[in-house]
Amino acid sequence: MFSTVLSVLAVGVATVLIYAAFKPKSFSLSRSTVIAGPADRVFPLINDLQGFNRWNPFAKQDPQLKMQYESVTSGKGAAYTWVGKKAGAGRMEITDSIPAQRVTMKLDFSKPMEAHNTVNFTLEPQGANTRVTWAMTGPANYAHNLMTTFFSMDKMVGGQFEAGLGSLKALAENAL
């Protein structure tokens, strides 16, 4: 009986490990919202990293978060580093910025585990409104694929994106 239980358990573990090995080697997720206002009014709240962190849910979730901005805080080349108990440690840099259209960022985590992702914010005018899409893509290594076998990254991180876009919307619409 004991050997049967061990065999079933071993097959189950092996199945999960093999499944994780064959999952895609990259990931992407995105969320969008429509903000009442023109893109040129929303853009600075994304393109300036200090403004970005006024609504960024990842910065808000860790009361012990320490951020260090580099000499440039907005536009291409702007960057900051962070260290926090919940947020881990990393660096974010704006790698491309097209006024009122797009901001692309390089997102590098060093803790709790290393990850290197690309974040894109696109702004699309819709009459007097602006559709803002927050997207993230990156490589999915074996540890990532094993973890996402049990936890939905789309639900966890996507939920944070939704909360952040809600905060951006409130901030942008109150500023108009």
Side-chain angles (χ1 to χ4, degrees):
M1 173 77 167
F2 183 69
S3 63
T4 303
V5 170
L6 281 178
S7 295
V8 169
L9 185 60
V11 168
V13 169
T15 301
V16 168
L17 295 175
I18 292 168
Y19 174 75
F22 287 98
K23 287 181 75 172
K25 303 299 182 217
S26 64
F27 76 92
S28 66
L29 61 99
S30 67
R31 297 293 189 275
S32 297
T33 193
V34 176
I35 297 175
D40 63 345
R41 294 260 182 104
V42 178
F43 181 76
L45 297 171
I46 301 167
N47 191 56
D48 180 276
L49 294 176
Q50 291 172 325
F52 170 75
N53 282 321
R54 289 176 54 202
W55 59 267
N56 176 7
F58 301 100
K60 292 175 150 187
Q61 74 182 359
D62 191 343
Q64 297 176 345
L65 188 67
K66 291 180 176 51
M67 291 186 277
Q68 179 68 47
Y69 293 94
E70 295 185 9
S71 59
V72 176
T73 62
S74 96
K76 187 175 180 177
Y80 75 98
T81 57
W82 74 88
V83 176
K85 192 169 189 146
K86 289 183 181 180
R91 182 175 188 273
M92 181 174 270
E93 177 182 353
I94 296 176
T95 59
D96 191 29
S97 177
I98 300 172
Q101 292 180 32
R102 186 180 71 237
V103 176
T104 301
M105 301 175 179
K106 180 180 173 191
L107 175 60
D108 295 315
F109 292 96
S110 54
K111 291 182 183 176
M113 59 188 201
E114 187 174 346
H116 305 283
N117 301 320
T118 300
V119 174
N120 277 300
F121 289 93
T122 55
L123 292 82
E124 302 170 63
Q126 294 187 332
N129 300 323
T130 303
R131 173 175 292 284
V132 178
T133 300
W134 185 356
M136 183 168 67
T137 60
N141 62 23
Y142 183 75
H144 174 273
N145 285 344
L146 189 58
M147 182 182 77
T148 59
T149 298
F150 301 101
F151 303 101
S152 171
M153 184 171 167
D154 187 71
K155 288 182 182 173
M156 290 186 320
V157 177
Q160 294 281 42
F161 279 20
E162 290 167 9
L165 289 170
S167 294
L168 173 62
K169 179 180 176 74
L171 189 62
E173 291 177 354
N174 288 334
L176 299 175

